[in-house]
Each structure stands twice: as C-alpha cells, then as structure tokens.
Amino acid sequence: MRPDKNNSKKVLQTSLLSLTALFSLAQLNSSWAQTLPNEPEVQLIKILNDYRLTRGLPIIPISPSLMKVADAHAKDLEKSSPAGACNMHSWSSSGDWSSCCYTPDHAKAQCMWNKPREITANFYTGNGFEIAYKSDGIFSLPRVAEAWKTSSGHHAVMINSGIWEKIKWEAIGAGISEHYAVVWFGQELESEPLLTTKNTEDQSK
C-alpha cells in the first residue's frame, strides 16, 4: 500500500501546530508567573491557572467582584463554621447577604449562585460557583490545590470536565482565612479584570 502523501502532510501540519501551541503555553506560563502580586489569594489562583495551562486550558481572568465574594465567604466561614448537615457552601446570618444551610443535595444552589449579585449590589450580574477547603492542621496553598485535584467534584470545576465541560469560566476570585480557602468561578467577564489571558500574552511579546 502506497503512503498517502496528503495524510502525511496533515500529520506534519498537526505536529507543527502542537509544537507551536506548547511553545505559546510556555511563554504565557512564564509571563503569568512574573506579573502577579504576591498576595496568598492571588497566588492560589496562580496555582490553579498554572495547572489549567498544563491541561491545555486558558487562564481564567481574575475578577475583583469574585475576589470580594470569596473574601467575604472565607471570613464568614471562619467566624461561623457550618455544622451538622450544613457544608462549607453555607452562609451565616451575620452579613449583608441571604443566609442558608447548604446541603449535599444542592437544594440551596440558588443561595450560592446569587452571592455575586448580592455582595456586589448587582455590579457582577452572573452566577457564582464555589469550591471550598478547610484545614484541620497545616495550611498551605499547594496542599489546598492538591486536595481539590484529588477530589473528583472539585477537580471537574477546575478543569471544566464532566457537567462543566461546555462552560467557559471568564472570572475567578479567591478568599483565604486562617482555616478556610475558597475559590469562586463565574461565566461573566468582569468589566475590568485584574489580569486576563490577553494582557499576559501582550506582556510576553
């Protein structure tokens, strides 16, 4: 059987495109690492976005609005740790937001989805989706990220797999307290994100 010249050409083109994509990701990764401030919350987002890059996924722009939501929730969890059937997506009644006991059946999902609108006075109009972590001992950002990577539900949110496959994250925010870390994701792009894929690409040129 004769080799298919057209097929060989297609394979070569595909290989070149793959190499180009990997080179672009390496450049973007380098720029991303050099342009971020050193706050723990931003560094946690960097860890998650760097991980997304290794999976061929785009960086999620940092959203000031979702940073505000995440900060509020991390502090609320620290002051009013959920108990009983209420998990870490619960909110206490001690803030300017609607409270809820969030249970594993997601019956109170609307309580989570609404938080960006509640806390930003409708400045951020999209829904919010959260992953959360509680430390019972040594707290470190790599440990937080690793815990999420090894949890199928959290990992799926981080890398847009499973039920999240067709969703594109356009905004991310993180909050950290003494024992808690939370990250919020959104589908609506912030009007003035702190950092986007585009401006990291511009800085790498």
Side-chain angles (χ1 to χ4, degrees):
M1 182 181 293
R2 289 186 176 183
D4 186 336
K5 292 183 179 180
N6 290 330
N7 187 56
S8 298
K9 186 177 181 181
K10 288 178 182 178
V11 170
L12 177 60
Q13 288 174 336
T14 301
S15 299
L16 289 173
L17 285 172
S18 298
L19 287 172
T20 301
L22 287 172
F23 180 70
S24 297
L25 285 176
Q27 284 187 315
L28 181 54
N29 186 45
S30 176
S31 176
W32 168 252
Q34 295 171 9
T35 56
L36 291 178
N38 204 35
E39 288 82 355
E41 294 82 3
V42 178
Q43 289 304 307
L44 178 57
I45 293 173
K46 177 188 177 300
I47 291 172
L48 299 190
N49 267 331
D50 281 350
Y51 179 62
R52 285 175 59 86
L53 283 173
T54 68
R55 309 279 301 217
L57 298 169
I59 285 172
I60 308 171
I62 298 175
S63 158
S65 292
L66 294 188
M67 291 292 282
K68 183 177 181 179
V69 175
D71 179 67
H73 199 206
K75 290 176 179 176
D76 184 51
L77 288 169
E78 196 68 47
K79 293 177 181 177
S80 306
S81 185
C86 307
N87 64 28
M88 287 185 285
H89 302 310
S90 302
W91 289 75
S92 77
S93 57
S94 62
D96 190 20
W97 53 67
S98 60
S99 62
C100 66
C101 169
Y102 201 105
T103 49
D105 62 2
H106 303 288
K108 299 288 186 179
Q110 202 69 41
C111 178
M112 179 194 295
W113 299 339
N114 287 341
K115 283 300 174 290
R117 291 182 288 275
E118 291 179 7
I119 293 176
T120 68
N122 287 311
F123 180 81
Y124 189 88
T125 59
N127 289 341
F129 304 87
E130 179 188 48
I131 58 176
Y133 170 89
K134 181 181 180 182
S135 171
D136 293 322
I138 299 173
F139 188 101
S140 72
L141 299 184
R143 286 170 68 98
V144 174
E146 195 59 34
W148 286 333
K149 288 179 188 178
T150 55
S151 165
S152 59
H154 296 89
H155 190 242
V157 177
M158 288 166 52
I159 64 167
N160 297 103
S161 66
I163 63 172
W164 309 97
E165 185 177 5
K166 295 183 179 180
I167 290 177
K168 181 181 180 182
W169 298 132
E170 294 283 9
I172 191 172
I176 297 173
S177 60
E178 185 177 355
H179 297 97
Y180 291 91
V182 299
V183 172
W184 283 73
F185 300 83
Q187 295 172 262
E188 303 293 328
L189 182 65
E190 184 89 15
S191 57
E192 294 184 6
L194 296 182
L195 189 68
T196 66
T197 301
K198 182 179 186 303
N199 58 35
T200 47
E201 286 173 342
D202 290 342
Q203 292 165 8
S204 69
K205 293 177 181 178

